[in-house]
Amino acid sequence: MKFRRSERLIDMTTYLIEHPRQVVPLTFFADRYGSAKSSISEDLAIIKQTFEERGLGTLQTIAGATGGVKYSVKISEQEARPFVEELCQLIASPDRLLPGGYLYMTDILGDPSIVQRAGKIIASAYADSSIDVVMTVATKGIPLAYAVASQLNVPVVMVRRDNKVTEGSTVSINYVSGSTKRIQTMVLSKRSLSEGSKVLIVDDFMKAGGTIKGMISMLEEFRAHVSGIAVLVESEEIEERLVDDYISLVQLSNVNEKEKTINVKTGNFFNQNKEGLQ
Amino acid sequence: MKFRRSERLIDMTTYLIEHPRQVVPLTFFADRYGSAKSSISEDLAIIKQTFEERGLGTLQTIAGATGGVKYSVKISEQEARPFVEELCQLIASPDRLLPGGYLYMTDILGDPSIVQRAGKIIASAYADSSIDVVMTVATKGIPLAYAVASQLNVPVVMVRRDNKVTEGSTVSINYVSGSTKRIQTMVLSKRSLSEGSKVLIVDDFMKAGGTIKGMISMLEEFRAHVSGIAVLVESEEIEERLVDDYISLVQLSNVNEKEKTINVKTGNFFNQNKEGLQ
């Protein structure tokens, strides 16, 4: 069966998007379509150009025997901003205020299209970093962690609050919650993380950073390294932040339960890009 | 700026795949590329044909003022089988046996590419059903529930085992675990589910079905309806199954801790297709 260029372009685009950060040998596509490698190279040049012009991602060509082509998501600050600003507006609704100054975000975190877009933006920020695994803590950070991990083509490791028989042997640590100052426990399956792993920590919300600091302590138990920390929303009014090197997409401040007001602005992801700190 | 057909095909393919089950008006694409609607129609015909020939999904054209084109994932039994058979082999490893005859599946559930593929297969099975929301219970079913929901373009509702302040008011029910016969509690935020919603229940593992039966009771509290039940893995050796109308991708039997053997085969998803029950 012979494939026309248009069919190859559609199929290759789908394949690349569904296999981010995987090196696909040119021979794979050549065999798939019964086409010459030179035609495949031309197809890839068109896809690369379109992806880059439309801000869909990048295609990287890797030379040599183990070479091929690799797609990575790449959302620029400029492309991310309208989405994050819309997210800020969504979060800023006074209906979200709960007793104690907490914020209802369950619907936002339950919307796969928001979570996946946020995941792509975070993955873009770490596209050039070396990351072996994404780590999060149950429950609410899980969907975002998966969205990031699927773009980075790495597994997710889930820290739990409780010990489950289905996890096998576990390592357990105690940590102090940053805002409530309570002692809490987190548990991670021994099998789930290899020594020396480079880890991106992802969570939905950061207040003082106690939970994230707990995850960092957990990584020390596994002799693993923190390659980055990313949160969807951070609360700005913290006397003493326990974690300092992180990115956030959204920042909250002036959460006033009585007046039913919240101040929501874009997070430090945008400042960092501006200053070229990434 | 003028777009060539090849660029349009690449960009439209990406857009459609990233917006499953959304009706995209032809004018959206016509404006996006500054092209005539007739050219867009031709492009879509090529994409539709390629998607269907390559088993990537379907494109449906909806006529009328609110019409447009809608992409849905559609993985046939034939395309799903090699993936599920590979998954069976992965699960069948004796290393996975834990004390008590439990199975370690954390690594499998932590692999986004496996979870997304399984999610697409389950979403395909419900592509023609009317589903408003996907429901799961924390923790391990969450990634699969998101993978299904993102393909069906619906939100995820997460039942929890504990009550969290960030959920606002909640409804709480007690249920009996099917295999351990213990009384357990599950909690769902009142805001998270509207009355009359049509719900697809998704979970990673089903033994006797007590947890899923609990979710069904929870849905009754919300006057919501069960549109379907799907699990990744079911354990076959159950004297009395509490739930009967469900699909599974993988079936376990003869879990023998002493002999370190497990029997793993493809789930009833495949039988159902064969008998045309879906």
Side-chain angles (χ1 to χ4, degrees):
Chain A
M1 190 178 174
K2 194 79 183 136
F3 288 84
R4 282 176 306 162
R5 166 147 290 158
S6 56
E7 292 169 302
R8 292 200 307 261
L9 290 176
I10 294 164
D11 190 66
M12 283 165 96
T13 299
T14 310
Y15 190 90
L16 291 166
I17 286 177
E18 292 187 341
H19 297 82
R21 302 258 276 187
Q22 284 181 37
V23 179
V24 187
L26 262 57
T27 47
F28 172 84
F29 287 126
D31 293 349
R32 190 174 171 100
Y33 311 122
S35 305
K37 271 172 85 172
S38 56
S39 308
I40 299 296
S41 287
E42 285 168 31
D43 296 343
L44 289 170
I46 300 170
I47 294 175
K48 180 183 166 73
Q49 199 196 340
T50 308
F51 276 9
E52 290 174 0
E53 276 173 14
R54 306 289 306 174
L56 302 170
T58 56
L59 269 198
Q60 197 189 334
T61 310
I62 291 133
T66 58
V69 64
K70 188 172 84 170
Y71 161 74
S72 303
V73 70
K74 191 79 204 171
I75 299 178
S76 67
E77 180 193 325
Q78 190 196 333
E79 288 150 355
R81 194 175 279 281
F83 164 79
V84 175
E85 281 171 353
E86 215 174 294
L87 187 58
C88 288
Q89 284 203 331
L90 201 59
I91 292 174
S93 155
D95 295 351
R96 299 193 172 277
L97 275 174
L98 294 172
Y102 287 91
L103 219 58
Y104 183 83
M105 298 227 306
T106 306
D107 58 332
I108 293 173
L109 296 170
D111 183 332
S113 66
I114 294 179
V115 170
Q116 284 188 357
R117 188 84 187 153
K120 280 183 184 172
I121 295 172
I122 292 172
S124 294
Y126 294 98
D128 303 322
S129 307
S130 173
I131 293 184
D132 301 317
V133 60
V134 168
M135 180 191 235
T136 192
V137 67
T139 311
K140 292 221 286 265
I142 298 174
L144 184 63
Y146 270 80
V148 175
S150 69
Q151 291 300 330
L152 295 178
N153 187 30
V154 297
V156 177
V157 158
M158 254 192 262
V159 176
R160 304 178 65 108
R161 308 278 186 181
D162 55 345
N163 209 336
K164 273 277 220 181
V165 61
T166 49
E167 298 291 309
S169 334
T170 56
V171 173
S172 163
I173 63 153
N174 294 315
Y175 70 99
V176 182
S177 149
S179 34
T180 63
K181 307 280 179 211
R182 277 191 308 161
I183 300 264
Q184 306 208 17
T185 302
M186 56 172 74
V187 171
L188 182 58
S189 168
K190 265 195 173 171
R191 293 197 204 183
S192 65
L193 192 61
S194 325
E195 205 169 291
S197 296
K198 283 169 251 148
V199 180
L200 172 60
I201 294 174
V202 172
D203 212 352
D204 59 316
F205 196 82
M206 178 170 71
K207 238 172 153 172
T211 307
I212 287 175
K213 198 148 178 276
M215 282 194 263
I216 297 172
S217 305
M218 181 63 92
L219 290 182
E220 286 164 9
E221 292 294 323
F222 281 82
R223 296 177 197 277
H225 310 292
V226 184
S227 287
I229 299 166
V231 297
L232 184 65
V233 180
E234 66 164 320
S235 181
E236 211 196 11
E237 272 150 33
I238 294 302
E239 289 164 32
E240 198 197 2
R241 179 89 63 196
L242 299 171
V243 171
D244 39 46
D245 196 10
Y246 63 91
I247 64 166
S248 65
L249 297 191
V250 175
Q251 255 179 12
L252 298 187
S253 55
N254 301 316
V255 177
N256 188 325
E257 203 189 337
K258 209 169 138 202
E259 308 274 338
K260 289 228 173 243
T261 53
I262 326 168
N263 205 333
V264 185
K265 57 177 186 177
T266 55
N268 74 11
F269 168 77
F270 295 97
N271 318 335
Q272 284 196 321
N273 274 355
K274 230 171 267 163
E275 295 160 22
L277 285 180
Q278 276 191 76
Chain B
M1 190 177 175
K2 196 77 182 136
F3 288 84
R4 282 175 305 161
R5 165 146 290 157
S6 57
E7 291 169 304
R8 293 199 307 263
L9 290 176
I10 293 163
D11 190 65
M12 284 164 97
T13 299
T14 310
Y15 190 90
L16 291 166
I17 286 177
E18 291 186 342
H19 298 82
R21 301 258 278 189
Q22 285 181 37
V23 179
V24 187
L26 261 57
T27 48
F28 172 85
F29 288 127
D31 294 349
R32 190 174 171 103
Y33 311 123
S35 304
K37 270 172 85 172
S38 57
S39 307
I40 300 296
S41 287
E42 286 168 30
D43 295 344
L44 288 170
I46 300 170
I47 294 175
K48 181 183 166 72
Q49 198 197 341
T50 308
F51 275 9
E52 290 174 0
E53 278 173 12
R54 305 290 305 176
L56 302 170
T58 58
L59 269 198
Q60 197 188 336
T61 309
I62 291 133
T66 57
V69 64
K70 188 172 84 170
Y71 161 74
S72 303
V73 72
K74 191 79 202 170
I75 298 178
S76 67
E77 181 193 324
Q78 190 196 334
E79 287 150 358
R81 193 176 280 281
F83 164 78
V84 174
E85 281 173 353
E86 215 174 295
L87 187 58
C88 288
Q89 283 203 331
L90 202 58
I91 291 173
S93 154
D95 295 351
R96 299 194 171 276
L97 275 175
L98 294 171
Y102 286 91
L103 218 58
Y104 183 83
M105 299 228 305
T106 307
D107 58 332
I108 292 172
L109 297 169
D111 183 330
S113 66
I114 293 179
V115 170
Q116 283 187 358
R117 188 86 189 151
K120 281 182 184 172
I121 295 171
I122 292 172
S124 295
Y126 294 97
D128 303 323
S129 309
S130 173
I131 293 183
D132 300 317
V133 58
V134 168
M135 182 192 234
T136 192
V137 66
T139 313
K140 293 220 285 262
I142 298 173
L144 183 63
Y146 270 80
V148 175
S150 69
Q151 291 300 329
L152 295 178
N153 187 30
V154 297
V156 177
V157 157
M158 252 191 263
V159 176
R160 303 178 65 108
R161 308 278 185 181
D162 55 345
N163 208 338
K164 272 278 222 181
V165 61
T166 48
E167 299 290 309
S169 334
T170 55
V171 173
S172 164
I173 63 153
N174 294 317
Y175 69 101
V176 182
S177 149
S179 35
T180 62
K181 307 280 180 209
R182 277 190 310 161
I183 301 265
Q184 307 208 15
T185 303
M186 55 171 76
V187 171
L188 181 59
S189 168
K190 266 195 173 170
R191 292 197 204 185
S192 64
L193 192 62
S194 324
E195 206 169 288
S197 296
K198 282 167 254 148
V199 180
L200 172 60
I201 294 175
V202 173
D203 211 353
D204 59 315
F205 195 82
M206 178 169 72
K207 236 172 156 173
T211 307
I212 287 175
K213 199 149 177 274
M215 284 194 262
I216 296 172
S217 307
M218 180 65 92
L219 290 181
E220 286 164 9
E221 293 294 322
F222 282 81
R223 295 177 197 277
H225 311 291
V226 184
S227 289
I229 299 167
V231 298
L232 184 65
V233 179
E234 66 165 318
S235 183
E236 211 197 13
E237 274 151 30
I238 295 301
E239 288 163 35
E240 197 196 3
R241 178 89 63 195
L242 300 170
V243 170
D244 39 47
D245 195 11
Y246 63 89
I247 65 166
S248 66
L249 298 191
V250 174
Q251 255 180 10
L252 298 188
S253 56
N254 300 317
V255 177
N256 189 324
E257 203 189 335
K258 208 169 140 201
E259 308 275 338
K260 290 229 171 239
T261 53
I262 326 169
N263 205 332
V264 185
K265 59 178 184 175
T266 56
N268 73 12
F269 168 78
F270 295 96
N271 317 336
Q272 285 197 321
N273 273 356
K274 229 170 270 162
E275 296 159 22
L277 285 180
Q278 276 191 73

